[in-house]
Each structure stands twice: as structure tokens, then as C-alpha cells.
mmCIF file of all heavy atoms in Angstrom:
data_model
loop_
_atom_site.group_PDB
_atom_site.id
_atom_site.type_symbol
_atom_site.label_atom_id
_atom_site.label_comp_id
_atom_site.label_asym_id
_atom_site.label_seq_id
_atom_site.Cartn_x
_atom_site.Cartn_y
_atom_site.Cartn_z
ATOM 1 N N ALA A 279 -2.869 6.068 -15.162
ATOM 2 C CA ALA A 279 -1.798 5.500 -15.979
ATOM 3 C C ALA A 279 -1.088 4.391 -15.216
ATOM 4 O O ALA A 279 -0.957 4.441 -13.988
ATOM 5 C CB ALA A 279 -0.793 6.578 -16.368
ATOM 6 N N TYR A 280 -0.656 3.395 -15.969
ATOM 7 C CA TYR A 280 0.150 2.286 -15.456
ATOM 8 C C TYR A 280 1.408 2.228 -16.306
ATOM 9 O O TYR A 280 1.318 2.129 -17.531
ATOM 10 C CB TYR A 280 -0.608 0.960 -15.562
ATOM 11 C CG TYR A 280 -1.859 0.940 -14.725
ATOM 12 C CD1 TYR A 280 -3.049 1.473 -15.220
ATOM 13 C CD2 TYR A 280 -1.848 0.404 -13.443
ATOM 14 C CE1 TYR A 280 -4.199 1.469 -14.445
ATOM 15 C CE2 TYR A 280 -3.005 0.394 -12.667
ATOM 16 C CZ TYR A 280 -4.171 0.933 -13.181
ATOM 17 O OH TYR A 280 -5.308 0.934 -12.412
ATOM 18 N N GLU A 281 2.560 2.315 -15.671
ATOM 19 C CA GLU A 281 3.835 2.249 -16.373
ATOM 20 C C GLU A 281 4.613 1.058 -15.839
ATOM 21 O O GLU A 281 4.712 0.868 -14.620
ATOM 22 C CB GLU A 281 4.608 3.537 -16.164
ATOM 23 C CG GLU A 281 3.890 4.749 -16.737
ATOM 24 C CD GLU A 281 4.535 6.063 -16.354
ATOM 25 O OE1 GLU A 281 5.536 6.066 -15.620
ATOM 26 O OE2 GLU A 281 4.015 7.097 -16.794
ATOM 27 N N LEU A 282 5.162 0.272 -16.752
ATOM 28 C CA LEU A 282 5.931 -0.914 -16.382
ATOM 29 C C LEU A 282 7.381 -0.706 -16.791
ATOM 30 O O LEU A 282 7.652 -0.349 -17.944
ATOM 31 C CB LEU A 282 5.364 -2.156 -17.063
ATOM 32 C CG LEU A 282 3.961 -2.564 -16.590
ATOM 33 C CD1 LEU A 282 2.886 -1.799 -17.314
ATOM 34 C CD2 LEU A 282 3.765 -4.042 -16.763
ATOM 35 N N THR A 283 8.277 -0.922 -15.843
ATOM 36 C CA THR A 283 9.703 -0.760 -16.079
ATOM 37 C C THR A 283 10.399 -2.067 -15.745
ATOM 38 O O THR A 283 10.219 -2.591 -14.635
ATOM 39 C CB THR A 283 10.270 0.365 -15.180
ATOM 40 O OG1 THR A 283 9.492 1.545 -15.383
ATOM 41 C CG2 THR A 283 11.729 0.630 -15.495
ATOM 42 N N PRO A 284 11.191 -2.607 -16.657
ATOM 43 C CA PRO A 284 11.910 -3.848 -16.362
ATOM 44 C C PRO A 284 12.869 -3.683 -15.181
ATOM 45 O O PRO A 284 13.478 -2.627 -15.004
ATOM 46 C CB PRO A 284 12.690 -4.125 -17.649
ATOM 47 C CG PRO A 284 11.976 -3.364 -18.710
ATOM 48 C CD PRO A 284 11.425 -2.142 -18.030
ATOM 49 N N THR A 285 12.960 -4.725 -14.370
ATOM 50 C CA THR A 285 13.930 -4.793 -13.275
ATOM 51 C C THR A 285 14.678 -6.121 -13.423
ATOM 52 O O THR A 285 14.291 -6.963 -14.237
ATOM 53 C CB THR A 285 13.243 -4.739 -11.893
ATOM 54 O OG1 THR A 285 12.415 -5.904 -11.749
ATOM 55 C CG2 THR A 285 12.407 -3.477 -11.729
ATOM 56 N N ALA A 286 15.698 -6.301 -12.615
ATOM 57 C CA ALA A 286 16.470 -7.554 -12.679
ATOM 58 C C ALA A 286 15.600 -8.762 -12.348
ATOM 59 O O ALA A 286 15.817 -9.857 -12.872
ATOM 60 C CB ALA A 286 17.661 -7.484 -11.736
ATOM 61 N N GLU A 287 14.591 -8.581 -11.491
ATOM 62 C CA GLU A 287 13.740 -9.687 -11.052
ATOM 63 C C GLU A 287 12.411 -9.777 -11.791
ATOM 64 O O GLU A 287 11.642 -10.698 -11.569
ATOM 65 C CB GLU A 287 13.455 -9.575 -9.549
ATOM 66 C CG GLU A 287 14.676 -9.697 -8.657
ATOM 67 C CD GLU A 287 15.493 -8.410 -8.596
ATOM 68 O OE1 GLU A 287 14.918 -7.313 -8.758
ATOM 69 O OE2 GLU A 287 16.722 -8.502 -8.409
ATOM 70 N N GLY A 288 12.098 -8.810 -12.631
ATOM 71 C CA GLY A 288 10.809 -8.808 -13.327
ATOM 72 C C GLY A 288 10.487 -7.418 -13.823
ATOM 73 O O GLY A 288 11.058 -6.938 -14.787
ATOM 74 N N CYS A 289 9.561 -6.732 -13.115
ATOM 75 C CA CYS A 289 9.229 -5.361 -13.504
ATOM 76 C C CYS A 289 8.704 -4.583 -12.300
ATOM 77 O O CYS A 289 8.268 -5.154 -11.305
ATOM 78 C CB CYS A 289 8.204 -5.340 -14.637
ATOM 79 S SG CYS A 289 6.545 -5.899 -14.193
ATOM 80 N N ARG A 290 8.761 -3.294 -12.425
ATOM 81 C CA ARG A 290 8.144 -2.390 -11.452
ATOM 82 C C ARG A 290 6.921 -1.797 -12.133
ATOM 83 O O ARG A 290 6.998 -1.305 -13.262
ATOM 84 C CB ARG A 290 9.113 -1.287 -11.047
ATOM 85 C CG ARG A 290 8.450 -0.251 -10.128
ATOM 86 C CD ARG A 290 9.466 0.628 -9.453
ATOM 87 N NE ARG A 290 10.274 -0.218 -8.584
ATOM 88 C CZ ARG A 290 11.599 -0.125 -8.457
ATOM 89 N NH1 ARG A 290 12.264 0.783 -9.129
ATOM 90 N NH2 ARG A 290 12.254 -0.938 -7.647
ATOM 91 N N VAL A 291 5.794 -1.846 -11.437
ATOM 92 C CA VAL A 291 4.552 -1.264 -11.957
ATOM 93 C C VAL A 291 4.272 -0.003 -11.158
ATOM 94 O O VAL A 291 4.226 -0.035 -9.927
ATOM 95 C CB VAL A 291 3.365 -2.242 -11.825
ATOM 96 C CG1 VAL A 291 2.088 -1.589 -12.356
ATOM 97 C CG2 VAL A 291 3.653 -3.552 -12.544
ATOM 98 N N ARG A 292 4.073 1.083 -11.876
ATOM 99 C CA ARG A 292 3.723 2.365 -11.258
ATOM 100 C C ARG A 292 2.320 2.718 -11.712
ATOM 101 O O ARG A 292 2.045 2.788 -12.912
ATOM 102 C CB ARG A 292 4.698 3.446 -11.703
ATOM 103 C CG ARG A 292 4.408 4.816 -11.105
ATOM 104 C CD ARG A 292 5.465 5.823 -11.588
ATOM 105 N NE ARG A 292 5.352 7.071 -10.871
ATOM 106 C CZ ARG A 292 4.542 8.079 -11.230
ATOM 107 N NH1 ARG A 292 3.778 7.960 -12.307
ATOM 108 N NH2 ARG A 292 4.499 9.182 -10.521
ATOM 109 N N GLU A 293 1.439 2.915 -10.750
ATOM 110 C CA GLU A 293 0.065 3.350 -11.034
ATOM 111 C C GLU A 293 -0.055 4.788 -10.570
ATOM 112 O O GLU A 293 0.391 5.132 -9.463
ATOM 113 C CB GLU A 293 -0.941 2.478 -10.281
ATOM 114 C CG GLU A 293 -2.380 2.895 -10.508
ATOM 115 C CD GLU A 293 -3.387 2.039 -9.746
ATOM 116 O OE1 GLU A 293 -2.977 1.198 -8.922
ATOM 117 O OE2 GLU A 293 -4.587 2.225 -9.987
ATOM 118 N N SER A 294 -0.670 5.637 -11.390
ATOM 119 C CA SER A 294 -0.831 7.041 -11.018
ATOM 120 C C SER A 294 -2.182 7.563 -11.472
ATOM 121 O O SER A 294 -2.794 7.025 -12.390
ATOM 122 C CB SER A 294 0.286 7.888 -11.632
ATOM 123 O OG SER A 294 0.217 7.852 -13.040
ATOM 124 N N THR A 295 -2.607 8.612 -10.802
ATOM 125 C CA THR A 295 -3.847 9.281 -11.181
ATOM 126 C C THR A 295 -3.701 10.769 -10.952
ATOM 127 O O THR A 295 -2.978 11.218 -10.060
ATOM 128 C CB THR A 295 -5.060 8.730 -10.404
ATOM 129 O OG1 THR A 295 -6.252 9.321 -10.933
ATOM 130 C CG2 THR A 295 -4.974 9.009 -8.916
ATOM 131 N N VAL A 296 -4.401 11.525 -11.778
ATOM 132 C CA VAL A 296 -4.509 12.963 -11.618
ATOM 133 C C VAL A 296 -5.993 13.288 -11.612
ATOM 134 O O VAL A 296 -6.722 12.900 -12.530
ATOM 135 C CB VAL A 296 -3.788 13.724 -12.758
ATOM 136 C CG1 VAL A 296 -4.007 15.225 -12.620
ATOM 137 C CG2 VAL A 296 -2.307 13.386 -12.779
ATOM 138 N N ASP A 297 -6.435 13.950 -10.569
ATOM 139 C CA ASP A 297 -7.840 14.338 -10.432
ATOM 140 C C ASP A 297 -8.114 15.487 -11.388
ATOM 141 O O ASP A 297 -7.461 16.521 -11.337
ATOM 142 C CB ASP A 297 -8.095 14.770 -8.982
ATOM 143 C CG ASP A 297 -9.551 14.995 -8.664
ATOM 144 O OD1 ASP A 297 -10.369 15.172 -9.584
ATOM 145 O OD2 ASP A 297 -9.875 14.994 -7.461
ATOM 146 N N ARG A 298 -9.069 15.327 -12.282
ATOM 147 C CA ARG A 298 -9.427 16.357 -13.254
ATOM 148 C C ARG A 298 -10.824 16.923 -13.020
ATOM 149 O O ARG A 298 -11.361 17.633 -13.877
ATOM 150 C CB ARG A 298 -9.336 15.788 -14.677
ATOM 151 C CG ARG A 298 -7.943 15.367 -15.085
ATOM 152 C CD ARG A 298 -7.063 16.575 -15.253
ATOM 153 N NE ARG A 298 -5.765 16.181 -15.786
ATOM 154 C CZ ARG A 298 -4.654 16.817 -15.513
ATOM 155 N NH1 ARG A 298 -4.662 17.871 -14.730
ATOM 156 N NH2 ARG A 298 -3.517 16.412 -16.025
ATOM 157 N N ARG A 299 -11.412 16.602 -11.851
ATOM 158 C CA ARG A 299 -12.754 17.118 -11.578
ATOM 159 C C ARG A 299 -12.716 18.639 -11.435
ATOM 160 O O ARG A 299 -11.847 19.187 -10.780
ATOM 161 C CB ARG A 299 -13.299 16.530 -10.271
ATOM 162 C CG ARG A 299 -13.574 15.048 -10.332
ATOM 163 C CD ARG A 299 -13.981 14.505 -8.983
ATOM 164 N NE ARG A 299 -12.906 14.766 -8.025
ATOM 165 C CZ ARG A 299 -13.085 14.875 -6.710
ATOM 166 N NH1 ARG A 299 -14.283 14.744 -6.185
ATOM 167 N NH2 ARG A 299 -12.069 15.115 -5.915
ATOM 168 N N GLY A 300 -13.685 19.268 -12.023
ATOM 169 C CA GLY A 300 -13.836 20.709 -11.849
ATOM 170 C C GLY A 300 -14.488 21.009 -10.502
ATOM 171 O O GLY A 300 -14.890 20.112 -9.759
ATOM 172 N N ARG A 301 -14.618 22.258 -10.220
ATOM 173 C CA ARG A 301 -15.160 22.710 -8.930
ATOM 174 C C ARG A 301 -16.551 22.128 -8.646
ATOM 175 O O ARG A 301 -16.824 21.664 -7.551
ATOM 176 C CB ARG A 301 -15.209 24.225 -8.912
ATOM 177 C CG ARG A 301 -15.564 24.795 -7.566
ATOM 178 C CD ARG A 301 -15.479 26.291 -7.590
ATOM 179 N NE ARG A 301 -14.132 26.652 -8.022
ATOM 180 C CZ ARG A 301 -13.562 27.810 -7.791
ATOM 181 N NH1 ARG A 301 -14.211 28.731 -7.158
ATOM 182 N NH2 ARG A 301 -12.362 28.066 -8.224
ATOM 183 N N LEU A 302 -17.424 22.131 -9.640
ATOM 184 C CA LEU A 302 -18.790 21.637 -9.451
ATOM 185 C C LEU A 302 -18.794 20.155 -9.081
ATOM 186 O O LEU A 302 -19.471 19.734 -8.137
ATOM 187 C CB LEU A 302 -19.625 21.874 -10.712
ATOM 188 C CG LEU A 302 -21.071 21.385 -10.658
ATOM 189 C CD1 LEU A 302 -21.850 22.132 -9.574
ATOM 190 C CD2 LEU A 302 -21.736 21.582 -12.010
ATOM 191 N N LEU A 303 -18.034 19.350 -9.811
ATOM 192 C CA LEU A 303 -17.994 17.918 -9.528
ATOM 193 C C LEU A 303 -17.318 17.636 -8.187
ATOM 194 O O LEU A 303 -17.749 16.768 -7.426
ATOM 195 C CB LEU A 303 -17.289 17.171 -10.665
ATOM 196 C CG LEU A 303 -17.446 15.655 -10.684
ATOM 197 C CD1 LEU A 303 -18.917 15.240 -10.649
ATOM 198 C CD2 LEU A 303 -16.770 15.079 -11.927
ATOM 199 N N ARG A 304 -16.269 18.374 -7.858
ATOM 200 C CA ARG A 304 -15.626 18.209 -6.545
ATOM 201 C C ARG A 304 -16.618 18.516 -5.427
ATOM 202 O O ARG A 304 -16.711 17.793 -4.451
ATOM 203 C CB ARG A 304 -14.419 19.142 -6.412
ATOM 204 C CG ARG A 304 -13.212 18.697 -7.160
ATOM 205 C CD ARG A 304 -12.101 19.734 -6.968
ATOM 206 N NE ARG A 304 -11.069 19.573 -7.937
ATOM 207 C CZ ARG A 304 -9.929 18.938 -7.710
ATOM 208 N NH1 ARG A 304 -9.696 18.439 -6.530
ATOM 209 N NH2 ARG A 304 -9.037 18.829 -8.656
ATOM 210 N N TRP A 305 -17.353 19.613 -5.597
ATOM 211 C CA TRP A 305 -18.320 20.011 -4.588
ATOM 212 C C TRP A 305 -19.417 18.956 -4.453
ATOM 213 O O TRP A 305 -19.821 18.596 -3.357
ATOM 214 C CB TRP A 305 -18.916 21.377 -4.960
ATOM 215 C CG TRP A 305 -19.937 21.849 -3.982
ATOM 216 C CD1 TRP A 305 -19.718 22.465 -2.791
ATOM 217 C CD2 TRP A 305 -21.348 21.730 -4.098
ATOM 218 N NE1 TRP A 305 -20.896 22.742 -2.164
ATOM 219 C CE2 TRP A 305 -21.925 22.298 -2.950
ATOM 220 C CE3 TRP A 305 -22.193 21.191 -5.076
ATOM 221 C CZ2 TRP A 305 -23.296 22.345 -2.754
ATOM 222 C CZ3 TRP A 305 -23.556 21.247 -4.859
ATOM 223 C CH2 TRP A 305 -24.089 21.819 -3.717
ATOM 224 N N GLY A 306 -19.873 18.433 -5.581
ATOM 225 C CA GLY A 306 -20.953 17.451 -5.559
ATOM 226 C C GLY A 306 -20.573 16.117 -4.952
ATOM 227 O O GLY A 306 -21.417 15.425 -4.382
ATOM 228 N N THR A 307 -19.308 15.738 -5.059
ATOM 229 C CA THR A 307 -18.884 14.441 -4.510
ATOM 230 C C THR A 307 -18.282 14.569 -3.114
ATOM 231 O O THR A 307 -18.064 13.559 -2.451
ATOM 232 C CB THR A 307 -17.862 13.760 -5.443
ATOM 233 O OG1 THR A 307 -16.734 14.620 -5.622
ATOM 234 C CG2 THR A 307 -18.493 13.429 -6.784
ATOM 235 N N TYR A 308 -18.044 15.790 -2.647
ATOM 236 C CA TYR A 308 -17.386 15.985 -1.360
ATOM 237 C C TYR A 308 -18.107 15.315 -0.184
ATOM 238 O O TYR A 308 -17.461 14.666 0.635
ATOM 239 C CB TYR A 308 -17.181 17.477 -1.070
ATOM 240 C CG TYR A 308 -16.450 17.717 0.219
ATOM 241 C CD1 TYR A 308 -15.062 17.659 0.256
ATOM 242 C CD2 TYR A 308 -17.135 17.967 1.405
ATOM 243 C CE1 TYR A 308 -14.374 17.852 1.435
ATOM 244 C CE2 TYR A 308 -16.458 18.155 2.592
ATOM 245 C CZ TYR A 308 -15.083 18.096 2.604
ATOM 246 O OH TYR A 308 -14.406 18.274 3.785
ATOM 247 N N PRO A 309 -19.441 15.430 -0.064
ATOM 248 C CA PRO A 309 -20.098 14.806 1.092
ATOM 249 C C PRO A 309 -19.845 13.297 1.200
ATOM 250 O O PRO A 309 -19.686 12.768 2.292
ATOM 251 C CB PRO A 309 -21.587 15.100 0.862
ATOM 252 C CG PRO A 309 -21.593 16.333 0.021
ATOM 253 C CD PRO A 309 -20.390 16.193 -0.884
ATOM 254 N N ALA A 310 -19.800 12.612 0.074
ATOM 255 C CA ALA A 310 -19.597 11.165 0.087
ATOM 256 C C ALA A 310 -18.117 10.791 0.147
ATOM 257 O O ALA A 310 -17.769 9.724 0.659
ATOM 258 C CB ALA A 310 -20.230 10.540 -1.150
ATOM 259 N N MET A 311 -17.253 11.657 -0.385
ATOM 260 C CA MET A 311 -15.817 11.364 -0.434
ATOM 261 C C MET A 311 -15.020 12.625 -0.127
ATOM 262 O O MET A 311 -14.390 13.207 -1.019
ATOM 263 C CB MET A 311 -15.428 10.819 -1.806
ATOM 264 C CG MET A 311 -15.955 9.434 -2.073
ATOM 265 S SD MET A 311 -15.338 8.748 -3.617
ATOM 266 C CE MET A 311 -16.555 9.359 -4.773
ATOM 267 N N PRO A 312 -15.006 13.064 1.132
ATOM 268 C CA PRO A 312 -14.293 14.308 1.450
ATOM 269 C C PRO A 312 -12.776 14.197 1.264
ATOM 270 O O PRO A 312 -12.117 15.203 1.050
ATOM 271 C CB PRO A 312 -14.663 14.577 2.902
ATOM 272 C CG PRO A 312 -15.117 13.269 3.440
ATOM 273 C CD PRO A 312 -15.694 12.518 2.284
ATOM 274 N N ASP A 313 -12.236 12.996 1.329
ATOM 275 C CA ASP A 313 -10.790 12.802 1.162
ATOM 276 C C ASP A 313 -10.514 11.957 -0.073
ATOM 277 O O ASP A 313 -9.999 10.850 0.013
ATOM 278 C CB ASP A 313 -10.199 12.146 2.416
ATOM 279 C CG ASP A 313 -8.693 11.963 2.318
ATOM 280 O OD1 ASP A 313 -8.045 12.662 1.511
ATOM 281 O OD2 ASP A 313 -8.159 11.092 3.036
ATOM 282 N N ARG A 314 -10.881 12.481 -1.235
ATOM 283 C CA ARG A 314 -10.698 11.707 -2.467
ATOM 284 C C ARG A 314 -9.228 11.355 -2.694
ATOM 285 O O ARG A 314 -8.921 10.251 -3.141
ATOM 286 C CB ARG A 314 -11.253 12.480 -3.664
ATOM 287 C CG ARG A 314 -11.239 11.678 -4.949
ATOM 288 C CD ARG A 314 -12.115 10.439 -4.804
ATOM 289 N NE ARG A 314 -12.021 9.592 -5.965
ATOM 290 C CZ ARG A 314 -12.350 8.317 -5.987
ATOM 291 N NH1 ARG A 314 -12.821 7.731 -4.905
ATOM 292 N NH2 ARG A 314 -12.246 7.599 -7.059
ATOM 293 N N ALA A 315 -8.318 12.252 -2.386
ATOM 294 C CA ALA A 315 -6.890 11.970 -2.565
ATOM 295 C C ALA A 315 -6.460 10.786 -1.694
ATOM 296 O O ALA A 315 -5.760 9.888 -2.161
ATOM 297 C CB ALA A 315 -6.056 13.202 -2.248
ATOM 298 N N GLY A 316 -6.897 10.759 -0.455
ATOM 299 C CA GLY A 316 -6.566 9.648 0.444
ATOM 300 C C GLY A 316 -7.184 8.337 -0.029
ATOM 301 O O GLY A 316 -6.545 7.279 0.032
ATOM 302 N N ILE A 317 -8.421 8.410 -0.507
ATOM 303 C CA ILE A 317 -9.087 7.220 -1.043
ATOM 304 C C ILE A 317 -8.303 6.687 -2.239
ATOM 305 O O ILE A 317 -8.064 5.485 -2.348
ATOM 306 C CB ILE A 317 -10.546 7.548 -1.434
ATOM 307 C CG1 ILE A 317 -11.389 7.781 -0.181
ATOM 308 C CG2 ILE A 317 -11.151 6.442 -2.293
ATOM 309 C CD1 ILE A 317 -12.754 8.388 -0.451
ATOM 310 N N ASN A 318 -7.895 7.574 -3.138
ATOM 311 C CA ASN A 318 -7.128 7.141 -4.308
ATOM 312 C C ASN A 318 -5.777 6.559 -3.895
ATOM 313 O O ASN A 318 -5.344 5.554 -4.459
ATOM 314 C CB ASN A 318 -6.935 8.289 -5.292
ATOM 315 C CG ASN A 318 -8.175 8.557 -6.118
ATOM 316 O OD1 ASN A 318 -9.098 7.754 -6.154
ATOM 317 N ND2 ASN A 318 -8.200 9.691 -6.778
ATOM 318 N N ARG A 319 -5.112 7.161 -2.931
ATOM 319 C CA ARG A 319 -3.812 6.664 -2.473
ATOM 320 C C ARG A 319 -3.944 5.242 -1.925
ATOM 321 O O ARG A 319 -3.176 4.351 -2.294
ATOM 322 C CB ARG A 319 -3.256 7.608 -1.405
ATOM 323 C CG ARG A 319 -1.801 7.387 -1.067
ATOM 324 C CD ARG A 319 -1.252 8.492 -0.168
ATOM 325 N NE ARG A 319 -1.132 9.757 -0.909
ATOM 326 C CZ ARG A 319 -1.929 10.815 -0.744
ATOM 327 N NH1 ARG A 319 -2.899 10.800 0.145
ATOM 328 N NH2 ARG A 319 -1.756 11.903 -1.449
ATOM 329 N N ARG A 320 -4.926 5.033 -1.074
ATOM 330 C CA ARG A 320 -5.148 3.685 -0.509
ATOM 331 C C ARG A 320 -5.602 2.706 -1.589
ATOM 332 O O ARG A 320 -5.201 1.538 -1.588
ATOM 333 C CB ARG A 320 -6.165 3.756 0.631
ATOM 334 C CG ARG A 320 -5.610 4.470 1.874
ATOM 335 C CD ARG A 320 -6.577 4.468 3.040
ATOM 336 N NE ARG A 320 -7.830 5.157 2.778
ATOM 337 C CZ ARG A 320 -8.005 6.483 2.890
ATOM 338 N NH1 ARG A 320 -7.001 7.256 3.243
ATOM 339 N NH2 ARG A 320 -9.184 7.020 2.648
#
């Protein structure tokens, strides 16, 4: 999600994500991306 809030100088953009992968998909992607939360944050 991207939320835009007006500010005095323009706007603030907030980007967010929620991981919805189930156990099987998390397990399957773990070897390639063990720190998915850190990857998403960066």
C-alpha cells in the first residue's frame, strides 16, 4: 500500500507491506531470501 498525506510543503508518502506467504512458500523462498523482512525494509 501507498498512502499520501498532504503536508505544508507537499505530501508524505508512506509505503507498507504485509507478508502473506504461508509456511510452504516461506520455506521454499528461505534459501534465496532468508531475511525477507530486511530485504523489504531496504
Side-chain angles (χ1 to χ4, degrees):
Y280 297 84
E281 297 171 359
L282 293 84
T283 307
T285 64
E287 296 79 29
C289 69
R290 175 166 296 138
V291 179
R292 180 179 190 273
E293 179 181 7
S294 63
T295 186
V296 176
D297 189 341
R298 296 291 186 211
R299 293 175 301 155
R301 188 175 304 201
L302 179 63
L303 194 54
R304 284 179 196 261
W305 179 81
T307 58
Y308 183 83
M311 290 186 272
D313 182 21
R314 186 62 185 160
I317 290 168
N318 282 346
R319 193 171 290 107
R320 290 184 298 277

